[in-house]
Amino acid sequence: LQSYYPRSLFEGLADLPGFGRDVQVWLAFRDQQPISGLVLLRWRDVAIAWHYSTRPDQLATGANPFLLVNAIRDACDDGLRWFDFLPSGSLDGVAAFKSGFAAERRGYHMYWTTGMTPATDRADAGPGAAPRVIAELGLGPSHKEDGA
C-alpha cells in the first residue's frame, strides 16, 4: 500500500505506547496480500479515520468501506460517541463517499503553519504554496461551517 507519508511515520506510530488501543491499524487481505489499510486514532470518545489506502487494482473489492464499517462497529461497541472521517477538502468524490455512511458535516477550526504542505515538501513547490493544516478542532454544531 502506498502513502504520501514516509514509512518512518507509520513505524513511529507502531512504537507509541497506545498502539493497538489508541492507534489502530486495520488491514484487509486478499490471497494473503494486504489490499487495503486504515489507520484509526482514538481519543476520549472519538475515533478518527486518519489515513486509509487501497491498492488501485483492488478498489472494486469494497475493501475500504468494509474496513470502515468494521471500525465504526468496533468504536460503537467500545462506547465511543463520534467517528470522524476528517475533512474532504475540495474533493467532491470523497465527500460523497463519506455521505454514504450517513456522515454529518460538522464545522471545525483550522490552525496553520507555513512551508509544510505536500506541495512545499516537493522541489516543484512555488512561493505561493499553501500552508499545512496542523490541527483541526471542534466537533460541535456551534462551530461555523468553514470546512467539512
Side-chain angles (χ1 to χ4, degrees), residues 7-21:
R7 181 182 182 107
S8 60
L9 174 64
F10 297 98
E11 291 168 348
L13 288 172
D15 290 337
L16 291 173
F19 187 77
R21 183 189 69 245

Side-chain angles (χ1 to χ4, degrees), residues 30-82:
R30 185 174 200 183
D31 299 325
Q32 300 180 340
Q33 295 296 314
I35 62 168
S36 187
L38 163 65
V39 176
L40 188 77
L41 308 175
R42 290 177 166 214
W43 183 72
R44 295 187 181 176
D45 62 350
V46 181
I48 302 164
W50 173 68
H51 188 56
Y52 31 100
S53 178
T54 301
R55 286 185 16 203
D57 64 325
Q58 298 295 320
L59 290 171
T61 66
N64 182 260
F66 173 79
L67 290 175
L68 285 165
V69 165
N70 283 283
I72 291 168
R73 285 183 180 152
D74 188 65
C76 289
D77 289 347
D78 287 348
L80 277 65
R81 185 168 175 225
W82 299 95

Side-chain angles (χ1 to χ4, degrees), residues 10 22 27 30-31 34 63 66 88 104 114-115 124 134:
F10 297 98
D22 299 328
L27 295 171
R30 185 174 200 183
D31 299 325
F66 173 79
S88 302
E104 178 182 328
T114 57
D124 63 342
I134 59 169

